[in-house]
Amino acid sequence: MGFALGSVRQAGRLCRAVQAEIDPGALAKKDRSPVTVADFGSQALICRTLREAFPDDPIIGEEDAAVLHGPDQAPMLARVTEHVAKLRPGVDSEQVCEWIDYGGAKDYTSRFWTLDPIDGTKGFLRGGQYAIALALILDGQVAAAVLGCPNLGPTLDADRGDGSLFVALKGHGTWSLPLLGEGEPVPVKVSGQTDCAFIRFCESVEAAHSSHGDAARLATELKIQAAPARLDSQAKYAVVARGEAEAYLRLPRDQVYREKIWDHAAGVLVVTEAGGRVTDIAGGDLDFSQGHQLEKNRGVVATNTPVHDSLLKAIGDLGIGAS
Ligand code: AMP
Ligand code: MG
């Protein structure tokens, strides 16, 4: 796993360098180019390292270099290449595109990696939470995960410091360590809270990604007192894994949307190996054997385990996700 961990750290370095260059005016202008640069750069670095270590492993990545070949995209490709070359000296634009496209697998196989080079792009742009999420899937099960959270400090309220990195291995546990600085891995465990009234849950900042209204109804039903923690990206899974929240709710907004595997694979193992439980809103296991989407699942409920069944029951009783 050392190479996977190293590649996520390298991508984290690139993302932080790009984010540090964002000029405050860019947000007002709705300029999304910084996240595009970091997204492609992160995917190039990680796919290159994976390919060196495991030349035959397919990678289902979120990004596709095709858009970088457009006639007006030359300046963007040059920016991506410049950032990647700081960490992989001597690389040229053609190689960068080739590396990005190592992540172009689409179909399910019994062994593959899935990568979200920047999960939570909106968080990246607003200087909030985002994640670099890499997972190995064996026979439809997440076997190993590396989740880098560049803007997540040692606690939710703490300064982001060197960022946080989570590593999970099926059957062995979850560990946390600083993303960039020195530090020994420490085992991560979910909260032991059993009473729903005393839990805190996380949800997306974006109401379009998860129904805030249904979560509020659920909170009323279960007499949950704490306000929800709203975070972008799979940092939500990390926060549940280390016991700062008891649940992460992703409640469907419609009947059509299917969750993408790269938005969940790493986070799911980080939570389950820390002692938590993850299902869809109907209580089914997330099925990673359906290609790039979780075709058989709707919504996600990730918890510390003791409160899981109560949350599922309340979701069912309130008819959440039914229409
Ligand atoms: P989050 O940061 O948790 O809000 O999730 C970000 C992810 O939401 C992105 O990577 C998208 O793949 C995903 N997404 C986009 N549209 C939807 C939707 N309608 N429902 C749920 N997730 C979505
Ligand atoms: Mg994503």
Side-chain angles (χ1 to χ4, degrees), residues 138-163:
L138 298 178
D139 297 323
Q141 308 266 325
V142 191
V146 183
L147 184 64
C149 301
N151 283 348
L152 187 64
T155 65
L156 260 181
D157 300 326
D159 192 77
R160 75 182 191 185
D162 287 325

Side-chain angles (χ1 to χ4, degrees), residues 13 21 32-33 39 53 59 93 108-109 126 160-161 170 185-186 198 203 235:
R13 226 171 262 288
E21 286 173 5
R32 285 184 55 87
S33 70
D39 231 349
I59 307 166
S93 292
Y108 173 75
T109 46
R126 10 176 205 253
R160 75 182 191 185
K170 192 168 173 62
V186 290
F198 298 111
E203 64 184 353

Side-chain angles (χ1 to χ4, degrees), residues 160-224:
R160 75 182 191 185
D162 287 325
S164 301
L165 183 68
F166 299 85
V167 181
L169 282 177
K170 192 168 173 62
H172 295 278
T174 299
W175 293 265
S176 156
L177 60 166
L179 176 66
L180 299 181
E182 298 287 310
E184 288 300 303
V186 290
V188 168
K189 282 276 161 273
V190 292
S191 148
Q193 182 58 255
T194 57
D195 186 339
C196 280
F198 298 111
I199 70 172
R200 168 148 86 150
F201 67 89
C202 316
E203 64 184 353
S204 286
V205 176
E206 297 298 318
H209 297 169
S210 181
S211 169
H212 290 172
D214 283 340
R217 287 203 293 138
L218 196 64
T220 305
E221 170 82 5
L222 293 170
K223 304 188 170 55
I224 297 171

Side-chain angles (χ1 to χ4, degrees), residues 62 116 118-120 262-263:
E62 187 178 15
D116 196 338
I118 292 195
D119 181 35
W262 50 74
D263 284 335

